[in-house]
Amino acid sequence: MVISKKSIVLVLAVLLAISFVFVACSSKNSENTDTTTTSAEETDLEDVDTEYGYETEAVTDEDGTEVTDEDGNVVTTEVAVIYKTNEDGNTYAQKIDSDGEPVTNKKGNPVTVKTTYKSSSSSDSSDSDSSDSDLGGFGSSSSSSGSSSDSSTTTTKKEETTATTKKSVSLTENSATTKFTGTEVVPKTSDTGDEVSFSLADQEIIASMLEVPYLYLENYENSEGVPVETAVYTAVWMAQRDGGTATGKDNSYAANPIILDLFKYYGNTVVNFKTKCNSVEDTPITYSNNKFIISSFPSKKQTVVIKKIEDLGNNNFYKVTGTVSDADRITKVVAVIQKNRLEPTLGFSIKGLKWS
């Protein structure tokens, strides 16, 4: 294959333009230490496989000492991270702020949390099964300085109950915060379990998540990955749900918050969403220069009425069956969902879908 000099010059020009963009803004972290959040322009524009997750970190006091409860257990909290690889090809978890931007300290070094997760782009990612660890590693906890602790850990969040449909059956207690070990297997839409019932408020939330306009266009199992054909509409729905306020005059939105919202909705990284987004025709969202442009918000399309919920066990997975109307010829939906706190105002992620 012959590569023209013109092509080489163009590639070099693009690389040089990217390498000279370094803009940062200062912020304060929860421990009142100065940190820096890198701007959208400084993030790796070619990193189309951006992987997010949540890691467990020990809570420390003003002196940096780990906080313990009355039983002597280390109190922990969960922090959002982005997974990156260093020059040696090893994965590290860097904290991100509420906008999905990576956080650094005064010296410009990444503020990291210890992780056992292996990024798909790391040199040793072949040792992990990506289909079973799509939510990142919730392994060992550590402080921001990177020091690890061998002490037992606990979370400060209380247990919540999920009522069953049969009054004679004891209430099943499920932690509202799902712990991911990196080895979990997500159930399939064909799996079955004991019937349970969520509160009316939870059912309304799940139904609204299944009513993302045109979500019914594709079926998928978690092991297959999220189809971009429906992820584009999910991204628009999440942006509208966040207030629908563009950050730019051209109806543009910073890329990282959009990607992070998709991760929260699906509990999974939508692989290559930046590059694949524009390949889906007749959608209101496009990607360019590390930002998404949303031209309009689609009006409501399908309506979902939940008829049955089954407990699939194995880390707060549930199967939801419902009737569907106003979705062309689709009349039924089966969804695998997970109860978690990736997005606190939702409380669930959609892990698999089958429309019929």
Side-chain angles (χ1 to χ4, degrees):
M1 181 176 65
V2 178
I3 301 177
S4 67
K5 292 183 178 179
K6 183 178 181 180
S7 298
I8 295 174
V9 171
L10 179 60
V11 171
L12 289 174
V14 172
L15 292 176
L16 285 172
I18 293 174
S19 65
F20 280 99
V21 179
F22 291 100
V23 183
C25 58
S26 295
S27 65
K28 295 277 187 176
N29 67 8
S30 59
E31 298 175 355
N32 295 321
T33 57
D34 290 330
T35 61
T36 298
T37 301
T38 56
S39 67
E41 288 78 13
E42 187 180 352
T43 55
D44 188 354
L45 303 184
E46 300 304 317
D47 185 15
V48 294
D49 285 330
T50 306
E51 296 176 84
Y52 291 100
Y54 280 75
E55 294 288 345
T56 302
E57 180 183 54
V59 175
T60 58
D61 58 22
E62 296 180 354
D63 298 324
T65 304
E66 293 180 347
V67 177
T68 58
D69 59 20
E70 57 184 9
D71 297 323
N73 296 314
V74 176
V75 177
T76 62
T77 187
E78 289 162 10
V79 294
V81 299
I82 182 173
Y83 296 103
K84 296 185 176 183
T85 54
N86 58 23
E87 295 178 352
D88 297 325
N90 298 319
T91 301
Y92 66 92
Q94 183 175 0
K95 287 186 178 181
I96 57 177
D97 63 16
S98 58
D99 291 325
E101 302 292 350
V103 176
T104 58
N105 59 22
K106 292 180 179 179
K107 296 181 179 180
N109 298 319
V111 177
T112 61
V113 181
K114 188 175 181 180
T115 182
T116 57
Y117 180 65
K118 304 298 182 184
S119 171
S120 59
S121 60
S122 65
S123 60
D124 53 358
S125 60
S126 59
D127 294 333
S128 62
D129 186 350
S130 60
S131 65
D132 289 341
S133 59
D134 51 39
L135 282 164
F138 270 67
S140 302
S141 62
S142 69
S143 64
S144 297
S145 62
S147 60
S148 60
S149 171
D150 295 327
S151 305
S152 59
T153 60
T154 182
T155 59
T156 56
K157 300 181 179 68
K158 297 181 179 179
E159 298 285 313
E160 292 188 359
T161 59
T162 300
T164 61
T165 53
K166 298 178 181 179
K167 293 182 179 180
S168 59
V169 179
S170 301
L171 294 178
T172 56
E173 294 188 355
N174 294 287
S175 173
T177 302
T178 301
K179 290 294 183 182
F180 302 100
T181 63
T183 59
E184 64 178 2
V185 176
V186 179
K188 297 182 179 295
T189 55
S190 58
D191 291 350
T192 59
D194 296 330
E195 185 174 354
V196 297
S197 177
F198 288 163
S199 67
L200 179 60
D202 279 350
Q203 292 185 53
E204 290 176 345
I205 290 174
I206 296 169
S208 71
M209 294 179 74
L210 297 175
E211 289 175 351
V212 169
Y214 305 105
L215 190 67
Y216 60 84
L217 293 177
E218 297 287 337
N219 297 327
Y220 84 97
E221 299 291 346
N222 184 76
S223 59
E224 300 169 353
V226 179
V228 69
E229 290 79 5
T230 52
V232 290
Y233 289 103
T234 306
V236 173
W237 183 81
M238 290 292 282
Q240 183 180 26
R241 186 175 175 277
D242 286 343
T245 304
T247 55
K249 295 181 180 180
D250 55 350
N251 294 323
S252 63
Y253 295 75
N256 280 358
I258 296 291
I259 299 297
L260 184 57
D261 275 346
L262 283 175
F263 173 80
K264 292 175 180 178
Y265 180 94
Y266 290 106
N268 203 345
T269 297
V270 181
V271 179
N272 292 337
F273 182 70
K274 291 179 181 178
T275 54
K276 292 181 178 179
C277 173
N278 294 347
S279 66
V280 184
E281 298 180 353
D282 301 323
T283 63
I285 184 172
T286 55
Y287 174 78
S288 177
N289 297 325
N290 210 34
K291 62 183 179 180
F292 289 96
I293 299 174
I294 299 178
S295 59
S296 63
F297 295 109
S299 49
K300 180 177 169 61
K301 180 65 176 175
Q302 73 273 16
T303 297
V304 174
V305 178
I306 295 176
K307 295 296 184 180
K308 186 178 182 180
I309 302 175
E310 300 170 70
D311 185 354
L312 299 180
N314 186 25
N315 219 355
N316 286 344
F317 289 111
Y318 297 89
K319 178 178 180 178
V320 175
T321 303
T323 58
V324 184
S325 57
D326 301 323
D328 299 328
R329 297 181 180 180
I330 302 296
T331 60
K332 179 182 178 181
V333 62
V334 174
V336 172
I337 67 171
Q338 186 173 44
K339 185 178 183 181
N340 55 44
R341 286 186 181 273
L342 294 181
E343 171 48 65
T345 59
L346 290 177
F348 300 93
S349 291
I350 306 298
K351 305 295 293 180
L353 286 169
K354 182 177 181 181
W355 305 86
S356 59

